[in-house]
Amino acid sequence: MQLGFIGIGVMGRPMALNLLKAGHEVTIYARHPEKPAVQEVLAAGARQAPSPRAVAMASELVITMVPNSAQVEEVVAGPQGVLEGAHKGLIIIDMSTIAPAVSRKLARLAAERSVHFLDAPVSGGSQGAINGTLSIMVGGEREVFEQARPILEAMGKKENIFYVGESGVGEIIKLVNNMLAGSIAAAVAEAFVMGVKAGADVDTMAKIVNVSTGGNWQLANQFPLRAFNGSFQPGFMTDLLHKDLGLVLDLATENQTPATITTLVRQMYEKAQAAGYGQDDYTSLLRVLEQAAGVEVRSK
């Protein structure tokens, strides 16, 4: 297919590369075309367009993968946006994590122009994007989802691509996931700092907890890969998790549901931001807790 892709960042770069590897023609728009990630995608065979509008004009389907609600609105519905260049029947798939209300708004605006809009946020981090094994949760029209499925399968694990219902529901489920991921990661960091300070070995603790009732994906995957070795190379930046937890709190307020733990956890990630770790992986919260306790939690 003739595809458009907007948002060549930590996640977007490997996703666009996987679409090219699958044999699709890809036209991209990037605000900063000089960046190495953009140049890599162009070198792999993508074409560059001067605006989101131009991307839409060249494409049968356009994917957006940008950091926040405001940016999605801008590239889709703003001046020189995708909708300005959209033809009847164009499919827009927003794979960003944004407010469900914004997804619903954009779906309405698209429908007014006989354009289809799916919200399809992802989970799996940068490694999942590189490997093409992302989990994808899709809200919108079922028929359009089925049309788009082959494209999604070039970026995600076939069995982990889910149709979840009407517009916005994909974003709701993604926020539930990140609500849990952020809270569990904070709990892992806090627990392991306490354990090391009290005299236990990191690797021994991890081995035992992972086969016990405290076992979880964060401890089994994210912390060994990024935190316990001291790299904190972002699979998912602290700034982005903090943003997502803000969306969670907004959604909780809209629906009058309590989010006491999430409120506290978001404050913890704010401390990581204040310490200068906003662009690092969210497991960099560990460093804030290490500094407070006067210990270092590292694998041997």
Side-chain angles (χ1 to χ4, degrees), residues 49-72:
S51 66
R53 177 179 181 272
V55 170
M57 292 175 69
S59 305
E60 301 167 75
L61 182 152
V62 176
I63 294 167
T64 55
M65 186 61 165
V66 298
N68 56 50
S69 298
Q71 290 187 30
V72 176

Side-chain angles (χ1 to χ4, degrees):
M1 289 183 71
Q2 297 289 334
L3 304 180
F5 203 105
I6 300 171
I8 309 297
V10 171
M11 297 291 289
R13 178 193 63 81
M15 291 165 71
L17 289 173
N18 282 331
L19 291 171
L20 288 164
K21 288 175 188 173
H24 301 289
E25 300 289 330
V26 179
T27 300
I28 67 169
Y29 167 72
R31 286 182 175 177
H32 303 286
E34 73 283 356
K35 287 191 172 182
V38 178
Q39 291 301 311
E40 182 183 356
V41 173
L42 292 172
R47 295 185 296 268
Q48 188 174 353
S51 66
R53 177 179 181 272
V55 170
M57 292 175 69
S59 305
E60 301 167 75
L61 182 152
V62 176
I63 294 167
T64 55
M65 186 61 165
V66 298
N68 56 50
S69 298
Q71 290 187 30
V72 176
E73 283 201 80
E74 180 183 352
V75 299
V76 173
Q80 292 294 306
V82 172
L83 289 179
E84 284 195 359
H87 53 82
K88 183 177 180 181
L90 178 72
I91 298 173
I92 303 170
I93 306 179
D94 177 44
M95 304 188 79
S96 320
T97 301
I98 64 172
V102 173
S103 291
R104 293 184 180 121
K105 174 185 174 182
L106 293 175
R108 289 194 299 270
L109 291 174
E112 290 170 4
R113 296 178 181 241
S114 299
V115 172
H116 306 290
F117 183 94
L118 300 175
D119 54 290
V122 305
S123 183
S126 59
Q127 199 59 50
I130 291 166
N131 296 338
T133 56
L134 293 168
S135 296
I136 307 174
M137 46 222 85
V138 187
E141 301 167 79
R142 179 82 191 228
E143 183 180 341
V144 178
F145 163 73
E146 295 298 345
Q147 285 180 258
R149 185 191 285 274
I151 305 303
L152 298 174
E153 288 179 359
M155 299 176 286
K157 197 172 184 179
K158 187 173 183 178
E159 58 268 34
N160 289 348
I161 297 173
F162 303 97
Y163 175 73
V164 298
E166 65 183 17
S167 292
V169 178
E171 296 294 354
I172 292 169
I173 295 174
K174 175 60 188 294
L175 292 179
V176 168
N177 179 80
N178 283 18
M179 182 181 187
L180 287 166
S183 298
I184 293 167
V188 169
E190 192 170 75
F192 272 66
V193 165
M194 183 194 71
V196 168
K197 184 69 179 283
D201 173 71
V202 177
D203 297 318
T204 302
M205 281 194 293
K207 181 178 180 180
I208 294 170
V209 172
N210 273 323
V211 296
S212 303
T213 55
N216 60 82
W217 188 91
Q218 298 290 334
L219 178 57
N221 296 276
Q222 194 76 347
F223 275 79
L225 182 63
R226 308 185 190 282
F228 292 161
N229 64 11
S231 73
F232 300 101
Q233 187 69 25
F236 189 59
M237 291 186 292
T238 302
D239 285 343
L240 292 177
L241 179 58
H242 180 264
K243 178 265 297 184
D244 289 354
L245 294 179
L247 294 174
V248 168
L249 295 178
D250 290 342
L251 188 63
T253 299
E254 290 170 20
N255 290 276
Q256 298 181 317
T257 60
T260 308
I261 293 172
T262 305
T263 300
L264 178 58
V265 167
R266 188 168 189 256
Q267 291 171 0
M268 294 174 72
Y269 288 107
E270 284 175 3
K271 291 181 180 179
Q273 287 178 308
Y277 305 139
Q279 299 292 303
D280 293 338
D281 191 73
Y282 62 92
T283 55
S284 60
L285 174 61
L286 180 71
R287 289 189 287 196
V288 177
L289 299 173
E290 287 175 333
Q291 290 157 11
V295 296
E296 190 173 80
V297 180
R298 298 290 181 273
S299 295
K300 292 183 176 63

